[in-house]
PDB file of all heavy atoms in Angstrom:
ATOM      1  N   ASP N   8       2.783 -18.704  18.889  1.00 96.00           N
ATOM      2  CA  ASP N   8       2.058 -17.733  18.074  1.00 96.00           C
ATOM      3  C   ASP N   8       2.979 -16.815  17.278  1.00 96.00           C
ATOM      4  O   ASP N   8       2.542 -16.186  16.307  1.00 96.00           O
ATOM      5  CB  ASP N   8       1.154 -16.861  18.961  1.00 96.00           C
ATOM      6  CG  ASP N   8       0.093 -17.673  19.670  1.00 96.00           C
ATOM      7  OD1 ASP N   8      -0.393 -18.656  19.081  1.00 96.00           O
ATOM      8  OD2 ASP N   8      -0.247 -17.324  20.817  1.00 96.00           O
ATOM      9  N   ILE N   9       4.231 -16.696  17.689  1.00 96.00           N
ATOM     10  CA  ILE N   9       5.145 -15.759  17.051  1.00 96.00           C
ATOM     11  C   ILE N   9       5.464 -16.231  15.636  1.00 96.00           C
ATOM     12  O   ILE N   9       5.810 -17.393  15.409  1.00 96.00           O
ATOM     13  CB  ILE N   9       6.437 -15.614  17.877  1.00 96.00           C
ATOM     14  CG1 ILE N   9       6.099 -15.046  19.266  1.00 96.00           C
ATOM     15  CG2 ILE N   9       7.443 -14.721  17.169  1.00 96.00           C
ATOM     16  CD1 ILE N   9       7.272 -15.022  20.221  1.00 96.00           C
ATOM     17  N   ALA N  10       5.315 -15.329  14.675  1.00 96.00           N
ATOM     18  CA  ALA N  10       5.534 -15.692  13.266  1.00 96.00           C
ATOM     19  C   ALA N  10       6.035 -14.476  12.505  1.00 96.00           C
ATOM     20  O   ALA N  10       5.453 -13.395  12.608  1.00 96.00           O
ATOM     21  CB  ALA N  10       4.245 -16.206  12.627  1.00 96.00           C
ATOM     22  N   THR N  11       7.109 -14.657  11.754  1.00 96.00           N
ATOM     23  CA  THR N  11       7.613 -13.563  10.940  1.00 96.00           C
ATOM     24  C   THR N  11       6.692 -13.345   9.744  1.00 96.00           C
ATOM     25  O   THR N  11       5.866 -14.199   9.401  1.00 96.00           O
ATOM     26  CB  THR N  11       9.041 -13.860  10.446  1.00 96.00           C
ATOM     27  OG1 THR N  11       9.048 -15.106   9.738  1.00 96.00           O
ATOM     28  CG2 THR N  11      10.015 -13.937  11.619  1.00 96.00           C
ATOM     29  N   MET N  12       6.841 -12.199   9.122  1.00 97.00           N
ATOM     30  CA  MET N  12       6.030 -11.862   7.963  1.00 97.00           C
ATOM     31  C   MET N  12       6.590 -12.534   6.701  1.00 97.00           C
ATOM     32  O   MET N  12       7.789 -12.808   6.609  1.00 97.00           O
ATOM     33  CB  MET N  12       6.020 -10.343   7.760  1.00 97.00           C
ATOM     34  CG  MET N  12       5.383  -9.554   8.894  1.00 97.00           C
ATOM     35  SD  MET N  12       3.585  -9.638   8.881  1.00 97.00           S
ATOM     36  CE  MET N  12       3.219  -8.418   7.594  1.00 97.00           C
ATOM     37  N   THR N  13       5.722 -12.754   5.748  1.00 97.00           N
ATOM     38  CA  THR N  13       6.165 -13.154   4.416  1.00 97.00           C
ATOM     39  C   THR N  13       6.476 -11.868   3.650  1.00 97.00           C
ATOM     40  O   THR N  13       5.583 -11.021   3.497  1.00 97.00           O
ATOM     41  CB  THR N  13       5.078 -13.940   3.675  1.00 97.00           C
ATOM     42  OG1 THR N  13       4.755 -15.115   4.418  1.00 97.00           O
ATOM     43  CG2 THR N  13       5.542 -14.326   2.286  1.00 97.00           C
ATOM     44  N   PRO N  14       7.715 -11.681   3.218  1.00 97.00           N
ATOM     45  CA  PRO N  14       8.078 -10.414   2.589  1.00 97.00           C
ATOM     46  C   PRO N  14       7.140 -10.024   1.444  1.00 97.00           C
ATOM     47  O   PRO N  14       6.821 -10.832   0.578  1.00 97.00           O
ATOM     48  CB  PRO N  14       9.500 -10.670   2.082  1.00 97.00           C
ATOM     49  CG  PRO N  14      10.042 -11.689   3.046  1.00 97.00           C
ATOM     50  CD  PRO N  14       8.882 -12.578   3.350  1.00 97.00           C
ATOM     51  N   ASN N  15       6.660  -8.758   1.532  1.00 97.00           N
ATOM     52  CA  ASN N  15       5.819  -8.127   0.502  1.00 97.00           C
ATOM     53  C   ASN N  15       4.457  -8.772   0.330  1.00 97.00           C
ATOM     54  O   ASN N  15       3.769  -8.509  -0.671  1.00 97.00           O
ATOM     55  CB  ASN N  15       6.561  -8.097  -0.841  1.00 97.00           C
ATOM     56  CG  ASN N  15       7.849  -7.313  -0.767  1.00 97.00           C
ATOM     57  OD1 ASN N  15       7.879  -6.205  -0.236  1.00 97.00           O
ATOM     58  ND2 ASN N  15       8.941  -7.882  -1.273  1.00 97.00           N
ATOM     59  N   ALA N  16       4.032  -9.595   1.290  1.00 98.00           N
ATOM     60  CA  ALA N  16       2.701 -10.206   1.230  1.00 98.00           C
ATOM     61  C   ALA N  16       1.747  -9.422   2.135  1.00 98.00           C
ATOM     62  O   ALA N  16       1.945  -9.383   3.353  1.00 98.00           O
ATOM     63  CB  ALA N  16       2.757 -11.666   1.670  1.00 98.00           C
ATOM     64  N   PRO N  17       0.720  -8.782   1.594  1.00 98.00           N
ATOM     65  CA  PRO N  17      -0.206  -8.008   2.419  1.00 98.00           C
ATOM     66  C   PRO N  17      -0.961  -8.882   3.410  1.00 98.00           C
ATOM     67  O   PRO N  17      -1.377  -9.991   3.084  1.00 98.00           O
ATOM     68  CB  PRO N  17      -1.177  -7.395   1.397  1.00 98.00           C
ATOM     69  CG  PRO N  17      -0.458  -7.473   0.086  1.00 98.00           C
ATOM     70  CD  PRO N  17       0.385  -8.706   0.165  1.00 98.00           C
ATOM     71  N   GLU N  18      -1.095  -8.369   4.614  1.00 98.00           N
ATOM     72  CA  GLU N  18      -1.898  -9.027   5.646  1.00 98.00           C
ATOM     73  C   GLU N  18      -2.780  -7.996   6.338  1.00 98.00           C
ATOM     74  O   GLU N  18      -2.423  -6.823   6.431  1.00 98.00           O
ATOM     75  CB  GLU N  18      -1.003  -9.713   6.690  1.00 98.00           C
ATOM     76  CG  GLU N  18      -0.251 -10.922   6.193  1.00 98.00           C
ATOM     77  CD  GLU N  18       0.340 -11.728   7.334  1.00 98.00           C
ATOM     78  OE1 GLU N  18      -0.318 -11.808   8.410  1.00 98.00           O
ATOM     79  OE2 GLU N  18       1.448 -12.264   7.179  1.00 98.00           O
ATOM     80  N   LYS N  19      -3.909  -8.463   6.848  1.00 98.00           N
ATOM     81  CA  LYS N  19      -4.786  -7.601   7.622  1.00 98.00           C
ATOM     82  C   LYS N  19      -4.314  -7.606   9.070  1.00 98.00           C
ATOM     83  O   LYS N  19      -4.346  -8.641   9.745  1.00 98.00           O
ATOM     84  CB  LYS N  19      -6.237  -8.085   7.525  1.00 98.00           C
ATOM     85  CG  LYS N  19      -7.236  -7.217   8.261  1.00 98.00           C
ATOM     86  CD  LYS N  19      -8.642  -7.779   8.088  1.00 98.00           C
ATOM     87  CE  LYS N  19      -9.678  -6.956   8.828  1.00 98.00           C
ATOM     88  NZ  LYS N  19     -11.040  -7.523   8.667  1.00 98.00           N
ATOM     89  N   LEU N  20      -3.875  -6.449   9.551  1.00 98.00           N
ATOM     90  CA  LEU N  20      -3.365  -6.305  10.904  1.00 98.00           C
ATOM     91  C   LEU N  20      -4.345  -5.460  11.709  1.00 98.00           C
ATOM     92  O   LEU N  20      -4.680  -4.340  11.307  1.00 98.00           O
ATOM     93  CB  LEU N  20      -1.991  -5.619  10.887  1.00 98.00           C
ATOM     94  CG  LEU N  20      -0.931  -6.234   9.966  1.00 98.00           C
ATOM     95  CD1 LEU N  20       0.293  -5.353   9.907  1.00 98.00           C
ATOM     96  CD2 LEU N  20      -0.571  -7.640  10.427  1.00 98.00           C
ATOM     97  N   THR N  21      -4.816  -5.978  12.823  1.00 97.00           N
ATOM     98  CA  THR N  21      -5.739  -5.220  13.674  1.00 97.00           C
ATOM     99  C   THR N  21      -4.969  -4.622  14.840  1.00 97.00           C
ATOM    100  O   THR N  21      -4.307  -5.337  15.594  1.00 97.00           O
ATOM    101  CB  THR N  21      -6.871  -6.120  14.192  1.00 97.00           C
ATOM    102  OG1 THR N  21      -7.630  -6.613  13.067  1.00 97.00           O
ATOM    103  CG2 THR N  21      -7.806  -5.329  15.101  1.00 97.00           C
ATOM    104  N   ILE N  22      -5.063  -3.297  14.964  1.00 98.00           N
ATOM    105  CA  ILE N  22      -4.360  -2.565  16.020  1.00 98.00           C
ATOM    106  C   ILE N  22      -5.394  -2.028  16.990  1.00 98.00           C
ATOM    107  O   ILE N  22      -6.251  -1.214  16.629  1.00 98.00           O
ATOM    108  CB  ILE N  22      -3.500  -1.438  15.431  1.00 98.00           C
ATOM    109  CG1 ILE N  22      -2.482  -2.034  14.447  1.00 98.00           C
ATOM    110  CG2 ILE N  22      -2.801  -0.651  16.529  1.00 98.00           C
ATOM    111  CD1 ILE N  22      -1.658  -1.004  13.723  1.00 98.00           C
ATOM    112  N   ASP N  23      -5.328  -2.489  18.221  1.00 97.00           N
ATOM    113  CA  ASP N  23      -6.270  -2.103  19.270  1.00 97.00           C
ATOM    114  C   ASP N  23      -5.785  -0.809  19.916  1.00 97.00           C
ATOM    115  O   ASP N  23      -4.721  -0.762  20.525  1.00 97.00           O
ATOM    116  CB  ASP N  23      -6.359  -3.223  20.315  1.00 97.00           C
ATOM    117  CG  ASP N  23      -7.375  -2.941  21.401  1.00 97.00           C
ATOM    118  OD1 ASP N  23      -8.058  -1.887  21.338  1.00 97.00           O
ATOM    119  OD2 ASP N  23      -7.488  -3.754  22.337  1.00 97.00           O
ATOM    120  N   LEU N  24      -6.595   0.248  19.786  1.00 97.00           N
ATOM    121  CA  LEU N  24      -6.247   1.542  20.384  1.00 97.00           C
ATOM    122  C   LEU N  24      -6.869   1.721  21.768  1.00 97.00           C
ATOM    123  O   LEU N  24      -6.739   2.794  22.348  1.00 97.00           O
ATOM    124  CB  LEU N  24      -6.695   2.681  19.453  1.00 97.00           C
ATOM    125  CG  LEU N  24      -5.922   2.773  18.139  1.00 97.00           C
ATOM    126  CD1 LEU N  24      -6.669   3.623  17.128  1.00 97.00           C
ATOM    127  CD2 LEU N  24      -4.545   3.351  18.380  1.00 97.00           C
ATOM    128  N   TRP N  25      -7.524   0.712  22.273  1.00 95.00           N
ATOM    129  CA  TRP N  25      -8.205   0.731  23.563  1.00 95.00           C
ATOM    130  C   TRP N  25      -9.446   1.622  23.500  1.00 95.00           C
ATOM    131  O   TRP N  25      -9.983   1.887  22.450  1.00 95.00           O
ATOM    132  CB  TRP N  25      -7.251   1.106  24.703  1.00 95.00           C
ATOM    133  CG  TRP N  25      -6.186   0.079  24.949  1.00 95.00           C
ATOM    134  CD1 TRP N  25      -5.766  -0.889  24.060  1.00 95.00           C
ATOM    135  CD2 TRP N  25      -5.398  -0.107  26.122  1.00 95.00           C
ATOM    136  NE1 TRP N  25      -4.774  -1.653  24.617  1.00 95.00           N
ATOM    137  CE2 TRP N  25      -4.526  -1.195  25.880  1.00 95.00           C
ATOM    138  CE3 TRP N  25      -5.333   0.538  27.352  1.00 95.00           C
ATOM    139  CZ2 TRP N  25      -3.614  -1.648  26.838  1.00 95.00           C
ATOM    140  CZ3 TRP N  25      -4.428   0.098  28.307  1.00 95.00           C
ATOM    141  CH2 TRP N  25      -3.586  -0.981  28.049  1.00 95.00           C
ATOM    142  N   ASP N  26      -9.923   2.046  24.672  1.00 96.00           N
ATOM    143  CA  ASP N  26     -11.199   2.757  24.775  1.00 96.00           C
ATOM    144  C   ASP N  26     -10.996   4.246  25.029  1.00 96.00           C
ATOM    145  O   ASP N  26      -9.983   4.674  25.586  1.00 96.00           O
ATOM    146  CB  ASP N  26     -12.024   2.193  25.934  1.00 96.00           C
ATOM    147  CG  ASP N  26     -12.577   0.806  25.656  1.00 96.00           C
ATOM    148  OD1 ASP N  26     -11.902  -0.007  25.011  1.00 96.00           O
ATOM    149  OD2 ASP N  26     -13.698   0.540  26.100  1.00 96.00           O
ATOM    150  N   THR N  27     -12.020   5.004  24.650  1.00 96.00           N
ATOM    151  CA  THR N  27     -12.049   6.420  25.002  1.00 96.00           C
ATOM    152  C   THR N  27     -13.483   6.912  24.890  1.00 96.00           C
ATOM    153  O   THR N  27     -14.362   6.204  24.396  1.00 96.00           O
ATOM    154  CB  THR N  27     -11.129   7.255  24.090  1.00 96.00           C
ATOM    155  OG1 THR N  27     -10.944   8.557  24.666  1.00 96.00           O
ATOM    156  CG2 THR N  27     -11.708   7.413  22.695  1.00 96.00           C
ATOM    157  N   ALA N  28     -13.706   8.139  25.351  1.00 96.00           N
ATOM    158  CA  ALA N  28     -14.976   8.831  25.157  1.00 96.00           C
ATOM    159  C   ALA N  28     -14.640  10.294  24.885  1.00 96.00           C
ATOM    160  O   ALA N  28     -14.004  10.952  25.713  1.00 96.00           O
ATOM    161  CB  ALA N  28     -15.883   8.701  26.388  1.00 96.00           C
ATOM    162  N   ILE N  29     -15.021  10.771  23.713  1.00 96.00           N
ATOM    163  CA  ILE N  29     -14.668  12.127  23.313  1.00 96.00           C
ATOM    164  C   ILE N  29     -15.631  12.585  22.227  1.00 96.00           C
ATOM    165  O   ILE N  29     -16.210  11.760  21.516  1.00 96.00           O
ATOM    166  CB  ILE N  29     -13.208  12.189  22.791  1.00 96.00           C
ATOM    167  CG1 ILE N  29     -12.752  13.641  22.577  1.00 96.00           C
ATOM    168  CG2 ILE N  29     -13.045  11.372  21.520  1.00 96.00           C
ATOM    169  CD1 ILE N  29     -11.276  13.763  22.212  1.00 96.00           C
ATOM    170  N   THR N  30     -15.819  13.891  22.143  1.00 96.00           N
ATOM    171  CA  THR N  30     -16.596  14.479  21.056  1.00 96.00           C
ATOM    172  C   THR N  30     -15.660  15.243  20.134  1.00 96.00           C
ATOM    173  O   THR N  30     -14.956  16.159  20.571  1.00 96.00           O
ATOM    174  CB  THR N  30     -17.687  15.428  21.591  1.00 96.00           C
ATOM    175  OG1 THR N  30     -18.605  14.687  22.397  1.00 96.00           O
ATOM    176  CG2 THR N  30     -18.451  16.082  20.440  1.00 96.00           C
ATOM    177  N   PHE N  31     -15.633  14.827  18.863  1.00 98.00           N
ATOM    178  CA  PHE N  31     -14.942  15.605  17.837  1.00 98.00           C
ATOM    179  C   PHE N  31     -15.915  16.704  17.417  1.00 98.00           C
ATOM    180  O   PHE N  31     -16.953  16.420  16.821  1.00 98.00           O
ATOM    181  CB  PHE N  31     -14.567  14.721  16.648  1.00 98.00           C
ATOM    182  CG  PHE N  31     -13.569  13.641  16.984  1.00 98.00           C
ATOM    183  CD1 PHE N  31     -13.997  12.365  17.317  1.00 98.00           C
ATOM    184  CD2 PHE N  31     -12.205  13.904  16.977  1.00 98.00           C
ATOM    185  CE1 PHE N  31     -13.078  11.369  17.617  1.00 98.00           C
ATOM    186  CE2 PHE N  31     -11.283  12.909  17.285  1.00 98.00           C
ATOM    187  CZ  PHE N  31     -11.714  11.646  17.616  1.00 98.00           C
ATOM    188  N   GLU N  32     -15.581  17.921  17.725  1.00 97.00           N
ATOM    189  CA  GLU N  32     -16.544  19.004  17.588  1.00 97.00           C
ATOM    190  C   GLU N  32     -16.662  19.506  16.150  1.00 97.00           C
ATOM    191  O   GLU N  32     -15.746  19.363  15.334  1.00 97.00           O
ATOM    192  CB  GLU N  32     -16.151  20.164  18.505  1.00 97.00           C
ATOM    193  CG  GLU N  32     -16.176  19.803  19.981  1.00 97.00           C
ATOM    194  CD  GLU N  32     -15.782  20.963  20.874  1.00 97.00           C
ATOM    195  OE1 GLU N  32     -15.399  22.026  20.341  1.00 97.00           O
ATOM    196  OE2 GLU N  32     -15.860  20.803  22.102  1.00 97.00           O
ATOM    197  N   LYS N  33     -17.813  20.080  15.880  1.00 97.00           N
ATOM    198  CA  LYS N  33     -18.055  20.732  14.591  1.00 97.00           C
ATOM    199  C   LYS N  33     -16.927  21.711  14.297  1.00 97.00           C
ATOM    200  O   LYS N  33     -16.500  22.461  15.172  1.00 97.00           O
ATOM    201  CB  LYS N  33     -19.401  21.448  14.628  1.00 97.00           C
ATOM    202  CG  LYS N  33     -19.742  22.212  13.366  1.00 97.00           C
ATOM    203  CD  LYS N  33     -21.070  22.930  13.513  1.00 97.00           C
ATOM    204  CE  LYS N  33     -21.377  23.770  12.267  1.00 97.00           C
ATOM    205  NZ  LYS N  33     -22.679  24.482  12.386  1.00 97.00           N
ATOM    206  N   GLY N  34     -16.418  21.676  13.074  1.00 98.00           N
ATOM    207  CA  GLY N  34     -15.311  22.548  12.710  1.00 98.00           C
ATOM    208  C   GLY N  34     -13.949  21.901  12.860  1.00 98.00           C
ATOM    209  O   GLY N  34     -12.957  22.424  12.359  1.00 98.00           O
ATOM    210  N   HIS N  35     -13.885  20.754  13.563  1.00 98.00           N
ATOM    211  CA  HIS N  35     -12.644  19.990  13.713  1.00 98.00           C
ATOM    212  C   HIS N  35     -12.549  18.968  12.577  1.00 98.00           C
ATOM    213  O   HIS N  35     -13.434  18.847  11.739  1.00 98.00           O
ATOM    214  CB  HIS N  35     -12.610  19.273  15.061  1.00 98.00           C
ATOM    215  CG  HIS N  35     -12.450  20.180  16.232  1.00 98.00           C
ATOM    216  ND1 HIS N  35     -11.648  19.897  17.315  1.00 98.00           N
ATOM    217  CD2 HIS N  35     -12.995  21.399  16.512  1.00 98.00           C
ATOM    218  CE1 HIS N  35     -11.688  20.865  18.194  1.00 98.00           C
ATOM    219  NE2 HIS N  35     -12.516  21.789  17.737  1.00 98.00           N
ATOM    220  N   ARG N  36     -11.458  18.210  12.574  1.00 98.00           N
ATOM    221  CA  ARG N  36     -11.281  17.093  11.664  1.00 98.00           C
ATOM    222  C   ARG N  36     -10.868  15.868  12.489  1.00 98.00           C
ATOM    223  O   ARG N  36     -10.172  16.002  13.495  1.00 98.00           O
ATOM    224  CB  ARG N  36     -10.184  17.369  10.627  1.00 98.00           C
ATOM    225  CG  ARG N  36     -10.449  18.522   9.674  1.00 98.00           C
ATOM    226  CD  ARG N  36      -9.210  18.799   8.834  1.00 98.00           C
ATOM    227  NE  ARG N  36      -9.350  19.990   8.013  1.00 98.00           N
ATOM    228  CZ  ARG N  36      -9.665  19.979   6.713  1.00 98.00           C
ATOM    229  NH1 ARG N  36      -9.849  18.816   6.102  1.00 98.00           N
ATOM    230  NH2 ARG N  36      -9.778  21.101   6.027  1.00 98.00           N
ATOM    231  N   ILE N  37     -11.283  14.685  12.057  1.00 98.00           N
ATOM    232  CA  ILE N  37     -10.810  13.433  12.638  1.00 98.00           C
ATOM    233  C   ILE N  37      -9.647  12.952  11.783  1.00 98.00           C
ATOM    234  O   ILE N  37      -9.728  12.962  10.551  1.00 98.00           O
ATOM    235  CB  ILE N  37     -11.917  12.371  12.667  1.00 98.00           C
ATOM    236  CG1 ILE N  37     -13.134  12.881  13.462  1.00 98.00           C
ATOM    237  CG2 ILE N  37     -11.403  11.067  13.275  1.00 98.00           C
ATOM    238  CD1 ILE N  37     -14.352  11.977  13.349  1.00 98.00           C
ATOM    239  N   ALA N  38      -8.560  12.551  12.432  1.00 98.00           N
ATOM    240  CA  ALA N  38      -7.376  12.143  11.680  1.00 98.00           C
ATOM    241  C   ALA N  38      -6.824  10.827  12.200  1.00 98.00           C
ATOM    242  O   ALA N  38      -6.965  10.492  13.378  1.00 98.00           O
ATOM    243  CB  ALA N  38      -6.292  13.222  11.738  1.00 98.00           C
ATOM    244  N   VAL N  39      -6.174  10.105  11.299  1.00 98.00           N
ATOM    245  CA  VAL N  39      -5.411   8.904  11.620  1.00 98.00           C
ATOM    246  C   VAL N  39      -3.990   9.115  11.123  1.00 98.00           C
ATOM    247  O   VAL N  39      -3.790   9.515   9.971  1.00 98.00           O
ATOM    248  CB  VAL N  39      -6.010   7.650  10.958  1.00 98.00           C
ATOM    249  CG1 VAL N  39      -5.092   6.450  11.136  1.00 98.00           C
ATOM    250  CG2 VAL N  39      -7.381   7.336  11.524  1.00 98.00           C
ATOM    251  N   HIS N  40      -3.015   8.898  11.994  1.00 98.00           N
ATOM    252  CA  HIS N  40      -1.611   8.977  11.609  1.00 98.00           C
ATOM    253  C   HIS N  40      -1.023   7.571  11.636  1.00 98.00           C
ATOM    254  O   HIS N  40      -1.239   6.825  12.598  1.00 98.00           O
ATOM    255  CB  HIS N  40      -0.829   9.882  12.569  1.00 98.00           C
ATOM    256  CG  HIS N  40      -1.241  11.323  12.528  1.00 98.00           C
ATOM    257  ND1 HIS N  40      -0.617  12.290  13.273  1.00 98.00           N
ATOM    258  CD2 HIS N  40      -2.209  11.963  11.807  1.00 98.00           C
ATOM    259  CE1 HIS N  40      -1.184  13.469  13.044  1.00 98.00           C
ATOM    260  NE2 HIS N  40      -2.163  13.290  12.161  1.00 98.00           N
ATOM    261  N   VAL N  41      -0.287   7.213  10.600  1.00 98.00           N
ATOM    262  CA  VAL N  41       0.317   5.883  10.493  1.00 98.00           C
ATOM    263  C   VAL N  41       1.817   6.027  10.261  1.00 98.00           C
ATOM    264  O   VAL N  41       2.239   6.784   9.385  1.00 98.00           O
ATOM    265  CB  VAL N  41      -0.305   5.072   9.331  1.00 98.00           C
ATOM    266  CG1 VAL N  41       0.348   3.688   9.242  1.00 98.00           C
ATOM    267  CG2 VAL N  41      -1.816   4.937   9.517  1.00 98.00           C
ATOM    268  N   THR N  42       2.602   5.302  11.042  1.00 98.00           N
ATOM    269  CA  THR N  42       4.046   5.312  10.895  1.00 98.00           C
ATOM    270  C   THR N  42       4.592   3.989  11.425  1.00 98.00           C
ATOM    271  O   THR N  42       3.819   3.055  11.653  1.00 98.00           O
ATOM    272  CB  THR N  42       4.659   6.536  11.604  1.00 98.00           C
ATOM    273  OG1 THR N  42       6.051   6.618  11.318  1.00 98.00           O
ATOM    274  CG2 THR N  42       4.427   6.488  13.104  1.00 98.00           C
ATOM    275  N   SER N  43       5.915   3.912  11.637  1.00 98.00           N
ATOM    276  CA  SER N  43       6.499   2.647  12.108  1.00 98.00           C
ATOM    277  C   SER N  43       7.409   2.819  13.306  1.00 98.00           C
ATOM    278  O   SER N  43       8.096   1.867  13.691  1.00 98.00           O
ATOM    279  CB  SER N  43       7.268   1.959  10.966  1.00 98.00           C
ATOM    280  OG  SER N  43       6.374   1.428  10.010  1.00 98.00           O
TER     281      SER N  43
END
């Protein structure tokens, strides 16, 4: 299954963050941070 990327070719990557249960409360913000 291991395969290197094709340079500069976009691919759809699915990242599983697992499960949780939480309430984002009124007045808060939901955020996503992306890095490497």
Side-chain angles (χ1 to χ4, degrees):
D8 298 326
I9 298 173
T11 56
M12 297 284 280
T13 300
N15 300 313
E18 291 193 36
K19 182 179 179 181
L20 308 172
T21 298
I22 301 175
D23 183 2
L24 292 163
W25 294 20
D26 289 36
T27 194
I29 189 174
T30 298
F31 295 95
E32 297 180 355
K33 178 182 177 180
H35 290 221
R36 297 172 187 260
I37 302 171
V39 172
H40 294 183
V41 180
T42 187
S43 288

